[in-house]
Amino acid sequence: MAVARQERAVRTRRLILEAAASVFDEYGYEGATIGEVVARAGVTRGAVYFHFASKRELAQGVVEEQFGREEIPERHCKLQEFVDMGMLVAHLMPRDPLLSAGARLSLGQDVFGDLSGGAAPGWIRRSEAVLAAAGGRGELLPHVVPAETAWLVTGAWTGVQIQSQKMSGRADLERRVAVLYQHLMPSIAVPGVLATLDLGPDRGGRVAAELAAARDAGGRAEPVDDEGAGGEAGAMAGRAASA
């Protein structure tokens, strides 16, 4: 019975976060109300306050929830995982209110001081860990410092997302992020690895489909042997690096 209660509490918390994400994404932090979250989640106000003591804590929960998702499947190299991470988020952000609201809350001037830098510190840490692993495998050029590159890429990705949102409502986000990686990767990847990277604008959608298939099968996505599957974008980047 205790296990059942715990599972029910986890489901309720997730339901509240999803409802809060849609409210924050629509109204922003200042315009959002607990009452609207209660109405959309279909729970009591007491249930919301049981899990989140305040609107600020609820917003923090939305920002942090994006880091509790499934891991990127293992690849033939860590730099492909690094690319896949950014491309998957680019694919999901226009489709997932939790990611979209997390971005809005992270960048909102009215809550910047309250949310400890928003989502950026978490993405920097994740990126640095993957880049450090890539360096350990000899995939990075000698001058690359994982911590500095992680900070730079997170900032650049965020800027691309902001401009895509303003100019196209994120309709071109995947293509713009792919172009970012096509410009960036030749400056950090050794040529042999660069030539194998898949940097196509549809990469995020294919990774999302892979993860969905793994969920449907009830397991973790199997590592994909995609070496040499970088396609035209990867080949062009490789030729650019070796020119």
Side-chain angles (χ1 to χ4, degrees):
M1 184 173 289
V3 173
R5 284 199 300 268
Q6 185 177 14
E7 291 177 349
R8 186 164 59 249
V10 170
R11 289 195 299 270
T12 300
R13 185 180 188 276
R14 176 72 183 189
L15 185 65
I16 292 168
L17 283 172
E18 289 176 348
S22 68
V23 174
F24 285 128
D25 199 31
E26 185 173 343
Y27 296 108
Y29 182 81
E30 289 297 332
T33 65
I34 296 294
E36 184 64 24
V37 174
V38 168
R40 294 196 188 188
V43 300
T44 65
R45 186 176 290 266
V48 172
Y49 282 115
F50 175 81
H51 290 280
F52 304 98
S54 64
K55 185 169 78 168
R56 176 194 177 281
E57 194 171 298
L58 185 55
Q60 186 72 51
V62 169
V63 170
E64 293 175 352
E65 182 67 14
Q66 59 196 283
F67 300 110
R69 296 165 184 267
E70 59 267 276
E71 294 296 319
I72 295 295
E74 294 180 13
R75 303 300 186 196
H76 67 279
C77 70
K78 286 295 178 180
L79 283 183
Q80 185 65 65
E81 294 177 28
F82 175 69
V83 171
D84 286 357
M85 186 167 61
M87 291 303 303
L88 178 63
V89 176
H91 174 76
L92 292 177
M93 186 166 283
R95 301 166 172 85
D96 186 339
L98 273 165
L99 284 171
S100 183
R104 178 165 184 171
L105 290 167
S106 297
L107 298 169
Q109 293 299 312
D110 52 346
V111 293
F112 177 80
D114 274 349
L115 298 183
S116 304
W123 287 117
I124 291 171
R125 287 192 295 271
R126 273 185 89 170
S127 298
E128 182 180 351
V130 177
L131 288 169
R137 294 188 179 189
E139 299 174 14
L140 300 178
L141 292 170
H143 70 273
V144 177
V145 178
E148 297 293 339
T149 301
W151 199 103
L152 175 65
V153 173
T154 301
W157 199 107
T158 300
V160 169
Q161 188 274 137
I162 292 171
Q163 290 305 118
S164 176
Q165 170 66 20
K166 288 183 176 181
M167 299 178 72
S168 72
R170 297 198 186 107
D172 65 348
L173 180 58
E174 290 178 84
R175 181 172 68 86
R176 298 296 183 185
V177 172
V179 171
L180 171 66
Y181 285 117
Q182 289 163 20
H183 282 73
L184 168 75
M185 300 313 290
S187 70
I188 70 171
V190 298
V193 169
L194 179 63
T196 72
L197 296 179
D198 185 341
L199 306 174
D202 64 338
R203 179 67 181 180
R206 286 185 276 121
V207 174
E210 183 182 350
L211 291 170
R215 285 194 300 272
D216 291 343
R220 181 182 175 88
E222 291 296 323
V224 172
D225 183 10
D226 51 2
E227 187 165 4
E232 183 178 354
M236 287 176 62
R239 288 195 294 270
S242 59

